[in-house]
Amino acid sequence: MNRAAFFDIDGTIFRNSLLVEHFKKLVKNNDIDYDYRVKDVKPIYDEYDHRFGEYDEYLLAVTKIYQNKLVGIDKDYINSLADKVIIENKDVVYRIARNELKRLKSDGYYIFFISGSPDFLVDKFGKYYHADESIGTNYVFDKNGKFTGKVKPMWDSENKKKSLNYLVKKYDIDLKNSFAFGDTNGDFSMISSVGNPVAINPSFEFLENISSNDNLRNKIKIYIERKDVLYSFDLINESMKFKKF
C-alpha cells in the first residue's frame, strides 16, 4: 500500500482564500457591480477586519455573491482570471505547509489537495505544487462554456470524506501511515481518517472538536505560524513549544 498526504488549501497552505482572490479580480474588472461589492460585502468584511465579526461569515457572503454573479460568464474568461490569481498568489503560503509539502513529496508520499475553492483554481494551484491529484468545488458549465450557477460543494466534511475515500481506493492508500492537514471543521473527516493528523492555524470551533475527540487528542500535531515563529501545541500535556524559522 502507498502513503499519502491530504491537504486543505485555504487557510492551511494558502494564507487567504483562492475564491476571494478570484472575486477581487472580477471586482477589478467591473464584472461585479457597485451594489454587490461595496454595499453588501464591505460591511461584512469590515466587521471581520476589525475583529468584530467572523471570517467564515465574510467568506460565506462573498461565496454567495461570487457564484451568483459568475452565472453566464464564459469559462475561458474565468480561467484567464484564475491564471492571474495563481501567478500572483502561488507563493503566498505558510512556511510550515510549504516545508511539509516538500518533505513528504521527497519521502515518496502521494500529495492530494481537497479544497472548497473552485475546481478551476484548485487544479492550477495543485499543478504548481506538483500535487498528484486535486479536488475542489465543481463549478458546472453548460455546453457553450457558460457557468450555470450550479456547484457540487467540497467545503464540507462529508464531501471531503467522500473525496478522500475515492483517492484511497484509486491509489491504494494506507491511511494509518498517511497525513492530513486542515484548519477548520470542514477538514475534520480528513484529519480523523489518518494516522498522522495535523492542524495548521486551526479555528476555535475546530480546536474544540479536536479537543473533545480522545483519538485525535492523542496524536494530532497543532501548529500556529505567526511572523517568523512556529508554535506547536500538545493537547495531552497542555504544553507549548516555539521556534524561529
Side-chain angles (χ1 to χ4, degrees):
M1 298 182 75
N2 300 303
R3 300 175 300 173
F6 302 88
F7 286 85
D8 168 58
I9 294 177
D10 300 327
T12 301
I13 302 175
F14 183 47
R15 300 201 322 259
N16 198 343
S17 160
L18 293 177
L19 182 150
V20 167
E21 293 304 318
H22 199 251
F23 177 86
K24 289 177 181 177
K25 290 294 182 189
L26 291 166
V27 169
K28 186 176 181 180
N29 287 6
N30 294 313
D31 297 306
I32 294 178
D33 60 43
Y34 177 87
D35 282 345
Y36 278 102
R37 70 181 189 243
V38 177
K39 186 179 73 175
D40 292 352
V41 176
K42 192 175 185 300
I44 301 171
Y45 174 76
D46 287 344
E47 280 285 301
Y48 158 70
D49 193 38
H50 298 148
R51 296 304 187 264
F52 292 115
E54 298 294 329
Y55 178 75
D56 285 348
E57 293 177 10
Y58 160 66
L59 187 59
L60 179 62
V62 171
T63 299
K64 288 181 177 179
I65 294 169
Y66 172 85
Q67 291 174 353
N68 178 268
K69 302 306 290 185
L70 216 60
V71 173
I73 296 181
D74 186 76
K75 188 174 185 179
D76 288 340
Y77 177 69
I78 289 172
N79 273 320
S80 70
L81 296 185
D83 287 334
K84 292 179 181 178
V85 167
I86 301 304
I87 289 170
E88 295 172 10
N89 294 279
K90 61 185 184 299
D91 294 317
V92 184
V93 299
Y94 291 109
R95 282 178 283 192
I96 179 61
R98 181 193 290 125
N99 292 345
E100 287 295 272
L101 277 167
K102 184 177 180 180
R103 178 181 71 84
L104 292 165
K105 189 73 172 178
S106 66
D107 285 346
Y109 285 76
Y110 278 102
I111 302 297
F112 300 125
F113 290 170
I114 304 178
S115 170
S117 273
D119 48 6
F120 47 82
L121 287 162
V122 172
D123 289 345
K124 296 175 190 298
F125 192 84
K127 287 177 181 176
Y128 179 76
Y129 282 99
H130 307 291
D132 294 284
E133 191 159 341
S134 301
I135 301 175
T137 294
N138 179 226
Y139 279 58
V140 181
F141 293 84
D142 64 23
K143 61 182 180 180
N144 296 315
K146 308 293 185 182
F147 177 56
T148 63
K150 297 179 180 179
V151 301
K152 298 175 183 177
M154 194 52 60
W155 52 72
D156 60 291
S157 188
E158 181 181 355
N159 281 306
K160 287 197 173 189
K161 175 66 172 177
K162 290 178 181 178
S163 292
L164 181 142
N165 290 339
Y166 157 77
L167 294 168
V168 166
K169 184 176 181 180
K170 181 177 178 179
Y171 292 90
D172 190 28
I173 301 300
D174 174 12
L175 285 175
K176 185 178 179 181
N177 290 301
S178 293
F179 286 77
F181 299 78
D183 71 315
T184 67
N185 270 339
D187 306 313
F188 192 82
S189 61
M190 291 200 309
I191 296 292
S192 304
S193 298
V194 299
N196 301 285
V198 182
I200 296 179
N201 298 323
S203 67
F204 181 77
E205 187 179 19
F206 191 35
L207 273 177
E208 279 193 315
N209 281 344
I210 291 169
S211 298
S212 64
N213 185 299
D214 290 338
N215 183 45
L216 280 175
R217 280 176 58 86
N218 289 329
K219 60 184 180 180
I220 195 164
K221 292 183 178 180
I222 299 174
Y223 294 114
I224 309 293
E225 182 178 322
R226 289 293 181 269
K227 297 183 173 67
D228 59 349
V229 181
L230 179 67
Y231 302 87
S232 58
F233 294 87
D234 182 337
L235 289 180
I236 297 299
N237 299 315
E238 297 184 344
S239 62
M240 179 190 76
K241 296 180 181 179
F242 62 92
K243 66 179 181 179
K244 189 179 186 300
F245 275 106

